[in-house]
Amino acid sequence: MSPPHNWPILVLLHFILHGQHHKSPMDRMRLVFPTVPASIFATAIYSAYSLISPPPVAQALFAGTLIGYMAYDLTHYYIHHGSPIPFYFASLKRYHVKHHFETQQLGFGISSKLWDYPFGTLIPDSD
């Protein structure tokens, strides 16, 4: 997804939240989502869960969302800066490197290629 070019604030926001990571993909300080925007998103997500469900359910949904996102973010960090030995993670690292350096418009799967299949964003000739 790219923001419309006639909306400069959205272009700037996209660059701050994600574009900077693509500009410097191996910069360890630009890989994890920034704390302040993450807190704003987390508050909005928790508020939405609270509006549609009772407090214990909202808290459980929010906890699951946080754990899922942390697993994703840690996997992304490992893919960039680790030396994956298990074939699965080594394959994901090769796939993600292609996303950064060959086809940025494809290959959005970080912890899995699963969603690249239905959205038609699978990088061709990937293992």
Side-chain angles (χ1 to χ4, degrees), residues 10 18 22 31 51 57 66 74 81 92 94 101 103 105-107 112 116 119 123-124 126:
L10 290 180
H18 187 70
H22 270 266
L31 190 55
L51 286 173
V57 174
L66 284 180
L74 290 170
H81 299 292
L92 280 178
R94 286 190 302 275
F101 297 106
T103 56
Q105 72 280 8
L106 298 173
S112 166
D116 284 329
F119 287 111
I123 297 173
S126 59

Side-chain angles (χ1 to χ4, degrees), residues 20-68:
Q20 184 63 42
H21 168 61
H22 270 266
K23 184 177 178 186
S24 309
M26 301 314 284
D27 184 344
R28 292 177 187 267
M29 300 305 291
R30 302 215 190 283
L31 190 55
V32 179
F33 203 70
T35 308
V36 172
S39 299
I40 294 168
F41 280 118
T43 301
I45 291 167
Y46 182 74
S47 297
Y49 288 159
S50 295
L51 286 173
I52 62 171
S53 58
V57 174
Q59 291 165 0
L61 288 170
F62 186 66
T65 300
L66 284 180
I67 290 168

